[in-house]
């Protein structure tokens, strides 16, 4: 027997604590500037998860500290604790509540992923080549032009980044775009991103890939369609043969990973 618990009071304290923690945590700008159409949706998802986590944390803390205070041993009490043989209502509750929270989180995340990966017509295709410890980029829509260490994309147009790795696993991450995608040897992975803010950003390798990992970066420039056209037509080199051939050996994982199979 657990005895009578002041459930209403504990719940009220939990809700108050959730409100305070959530207000503080959500007010922090965790992810920085938003520069893609996916960014606000991902940040909203994070905020909802923060509120849910704050609720779970508060609930556990309130019950823990209540139990520590209410059921503490009195001075001189050497007796054993009361034997407890289960509590069906409690067990149903602690199974049902987390199940609902996890299912809600999964459903919401699925909906956001579906939304931000929705394809539009006439995307720009960019091949992303990663190797220890450098990035280079191919533009198949523009004569397979090749750029080393500098990625340019036009604003407000969906870009399909085709990821290739020449040696080990790397990972493509522009924090302001939020999307992060692994580049895996042997397969082509795809990131769908629509940049919606002009500026210069940094592409960061976010998969530990060897000694030079921390310096594996590239400049990212989001510019007007006209400026992009001018830049890409000014590129002198084409994607080198070995890189172009490595793509053909890859197994394609496009379209989206959400769809079963992938082979
Ligand atoms: Cu790396």
């Amino acid at each position: 027997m657990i005895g009578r618990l002041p459930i209403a009071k504990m719940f009220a304290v939990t809700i108050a604590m959730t409100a305070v923690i959530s207000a503080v945590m959500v007010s922090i700008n965790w992810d920085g500037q938003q520069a893609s159409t996916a960014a606000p949706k991902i940040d909203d998802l994070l905020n909802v998860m923060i509120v849910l986590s704050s609720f779970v944390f508060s609930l556990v803390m309130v019950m823990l500290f209540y139990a520590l205070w209410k059921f503490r041993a009195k001075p001189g009490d050497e007796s054993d604790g009361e034997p407890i043989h289960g509590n069906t209502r409690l067990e149903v509750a602690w199974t049902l509540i987390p199940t609902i929270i996890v299912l809600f989180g999964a459903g919401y995340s699925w909906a956001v992923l579906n939304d931000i990966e929705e394809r539009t017509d006439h995307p720009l295709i960019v091949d992303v080549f990663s190797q220890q410890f450098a990035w280079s980029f191919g533009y198949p829509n523009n004569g397979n032009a090749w750029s080393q260490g500098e990625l340019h994309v036009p604003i407000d147009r969906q870009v399909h980044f085709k990821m290739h790795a020449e040696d080990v696993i790397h990972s493509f991450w522009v924090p302001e775009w939020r999307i992060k995608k692994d580049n895996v040897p042997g397969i082509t992975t795809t990131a769908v991103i629509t940049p919606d803010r002009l500026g210069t950003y940094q592409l960061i390798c976010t998969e530990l890939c060897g000694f030079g990992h921390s310096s594996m970066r590239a400049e990212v420039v989001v510019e007007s369609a006209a400026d992009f056209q001018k830049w890409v037509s000014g590129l002198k080199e084409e994607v080198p043969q070995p890189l172009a051939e490595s793509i053909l050996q890859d197994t394609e994982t496009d379209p989206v990973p959400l769809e079963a199979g992938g082979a």
Side-chain angles (χ1 to χ4, degrees):
M1 278 291 290
I2 284 193
R4 279 232 191 103
L5 298 174
I7 288 187
K9 261 189 205 161
M10 287 168 75
F11 192 70
V13 175
T14 300
I15 294 300
M17 213 172 135
T18 303
V20 172
I21 296 175
S22 300
V24 173
M25 298 292 275
V26 167
S27 74
I28 297 170
N29 183 9
W30 295 103
D31 295 329
Q33 196 168 58
Q34 299 174 333
S36 81
T37 52
K41 293 165 187 171
I42 290 173
D43 292 355
D44 287 346
L45 176 65
L46 178 69
N47 284 338
V48 170
M49 292 303 162
I50 285 174
V51 173
L52 284 175
S53 311
S54 305
F55 172 71
V56 173
F57 177 76
S58 304
L59 186 65
V60 171
M61 286 301 124
V62 166
M63 293 201 292
L64 174 66
F65 279 93
Y66 179 80
L68 283 174
W69 166 74
K70 178 78 179 172
F71 304 114
R72 71 191 186 283
K74 307 283 177 291
D77 180 3
E78 300 275 313
S79 64
D80 286 343
E82 198 180 335
I84 294 171
H85 297 286
N87 182 313
T88 308
R89 265 170 67 191
L90 194 58
E91 286 161 21
V92 167
W94 80 40
T95 305
L96 212 59
I97 294 172
T99 303
I100 292 168
I101 291 175
V102 168
L103 285 180
F104 169 78
Y108 182 22
S109 306
W110 184 295
V112 170
L113 187 59
N114 245 349
D115 183 15
I116 64 181
E117 289 201 327
E118 201 179 314
R119 312 294 167 111
T120 58
D121 292 337
H122 313 299
L124 177 73
I125 310 290
V126 178
D127 282 307
V128 177
F129 301 101
S130 53
Q131 59 196 95
Q132 292 167 321
F133 301 95
W135 299 96
S136 66
F137 310 93
Y139 291 86
N141 303 140
N142 302 85
N144 228 13
W146 192 46
S147 165
Q148 295 185 70
E150 205 177 319
L151 166 68
H152 284 231
V153 287
I155 191 172
D156 293 332
R157 178 172 172 193
Q158 192 173 76
V159 187
H160 293 181
F161 291 98
K162 302 282 182 178
M163 312 284 178
H164 316 286
E166 305 307 312
D167 37 41
V168 298
I169 300 177
H170 302 277
S171 196
F172 176 100
W173 184 45
V174 179
E176 291 82 358
W177 290 347
R178 301 294 186 269
I179 312 286
K180 173 183 178 298
K181 199 82 173 191
D182 279 1
N183 303 20
V184 184
I187 62 173
T188 298
T189 50
T190 303
V192 180
I193 299 166
T194 309
D196 66 353
R197 191 175 179 286
L198 295 171
T200 304
Y201 309 94
Q202 260 202 81
L203 164 59
I204 300 169
C205 178
T206 177
E207 186 68 64
L208 185 58
C209 58
F211 275 125
H213 165 65
S214 59
S215 62
M216 188 170 162
R217 297 182 175 213
E219 192 175 71
V220 178
V221 177
V222 179
E223 56 199 358
S224 69
D227 286 348
F228 168 75
Q229 234 12 278
K230 213 161 86 190
W231 175 84
V232 81
S233 14
L235 288 174
K236 296 273 179 291
E237 288 175 284
E238 263 185 47
V239 173
Q241 200 61 19
L243 291 184
E245 267 167 26
S246 74
I247 297 179
L248 302 175
Q249 288 155 11
D250 277 0
T251 311
E252 192 81 16
T253 57
D254 197 29
V256 277
L258 268 182
E259 284 164 27

